[in-house]
Amino acid sequence: MRVDSAAPRGRPLRMLSIVGARPNFMKVAPIARELQRHAGAFDNTIVHTGQHYDSKLSDVFFDELDIPRPDVNLNVGSGSHAQQTAAVMSAFEPIVLERAPDLVLVVGDVNSTLACALVATKCRVAVAHVEAGLRSRDRAMPEEINRVLTDQISDLLFTTERSASENLRAEGIDAEKIFFVGNVMIDTLLYHRDRAREMQSAQRFGVCPGEYALLTLHRPSNVDDPAVFARLMEAIGRIASDTVVLFPVHPRTRGTVERSSTAARLVEAGRLRLFEPLGYLEFLGLMESARVVLTDSGGIQEETTILGVPCLTLRTTTERPATVTFGTNQVVGTDPGAIADGYRRALTSTARAVPELWDGGAAKRVVDVLLNLPTRTA
Ligand code: UD1
């Protein structure tokens, strides 16, 4: 599919923008806002696959991020990878056939991203992938499979860092399809930073700014295997002897936490504090005034880089090398000794540089590309 053959003359570009899971919402929000500013040029429909359905993983973001409510909800819910991917595909195909979009826009690397891209391309509809080209080179991560395959079938590939553009070119993707635009997730962070500060999250959680660590864990490799999780809790125990640890618990992690005797002991001692998943603004506020953030998330590595807060990534790889090269991120793995060493280094680290184009203007650059598709300017 050549995207220029899909671009219409004389009517708005008909788009479906896909959201499915928590990290998608903050990526689509600034793009939807920018498309809205050019309402005559775009007819954008937001489709929620329903991969995430808990109010704390989904609704709260629509409320906080000024995203229009989804026009379509496929309500697919949870399941195995095959079930979930297949459910999204089966539910999305009739929407594509009925709405006949010119372009399907997908973001990130979740199952919904790949499922919708696959449906669109088989229906001969052009696909735009925002956050293309990131590679951990770890094919045991479901997200890596989703990234590689989505990029192979995308017609427009928008990248957040130069290394991602290089990865795409090395995989044989035509350079004309690749656009280095910066980071839409950072657009959202900068847009909401002041509101997040006004919430005074640290005080609301009963901790002093700079005197707590913030922890998130949800990768299957970290939370599905009790032995790995036990090692992580041992590391958290060492850090918790120095600073209290706040831990908003993702639903997939809940059972493992409840079965962990180390976690129970730390909670009992008041050194580890567990919470339900948090809203965007209160979490952003907590990140900004944390002494250190420990995480296995991708997006949080990027957000802490911009906030200048030290980040320890509890994985052996990162698909976001700019957060290490320029930012505050250390990839420390899951060994308790290595995590404790990383923590000590983090306490003395100083703020680093901002990666190129992580400046709040990424969504505008995405939309500029869409406005200038060949047949639109012809
Ligand atoms: C998904 C993404 C991951 C992303 C993460 C952010 C994939 C392969 N993974 O992982 O890249 O970082 O979202 O959160 O797409 N659950 C609920 N309520 C919900 C959704 C899920 O309780 O609203 C529970 C269910 O038990 C479910 C489990 O969480 O089985 C996992 O959900 P799923 O969407 O499969 O993956 P995540 O781990 O959330």
Side-chain angles (χ1 to χ4, degrees), residues 2 10 18-19 25 27 38 42 53 105 123 152 173 175 177 192 217 245 284 354 368-369:
R2 281 174 55 85
I18 311 301
V19 291
F25 306 124
K27 293 170 193 168
H38 299 276
F42 300 101
Y53 44 86
L105 182 136
C123 292
Q152 279 299 322
I173 307 246
K177 295 181 178 177
H192 291 286
L217 287 170
V245 179
L284 176 55
V354 172
D368 282 348
V369 170

Side-chain angles (χ1 to χ4, degrees), residues 258-276:
E258 283 165 3
R259 288 186 290 275
S260 163
S261 54
T262 312
R265 190 172 47 73
L266 292 169
V267 169
E268 180 71 27
R271 304 307 298 164
L272 177 67
R273 295 176 49 193
L274 307 180
F275 304 97
E276 291 289 305

Side-chain angles (χ1 to χ4, degrees), residues 22-23 185 216-219 294-303 311 313-315 318-320 329:
R22 182 167 60 177
M185 198 162 202
T216 81
L217 287 170
H218 74 282
R219 294 269 157 228
L294 301 105
T295 190
D296 58 11
S297 151
I300 291 173
Q301 298 170 44
E302 301 182 332
E303 290 167 336
C311 177
T313 294
L314 307 178
R315 292 169 39 192
T318 181
E319 59 288 332
R320 295 163 158 88
N329 189 21

Side-chain angles (χ1 to χ4, degrees), residues 356-367:
E356 196 179 354
L357 300 187
W358 292 20
D359 58 359
K364 180 174 185 314
R365 288 186 280 268
V366 169
V367 172

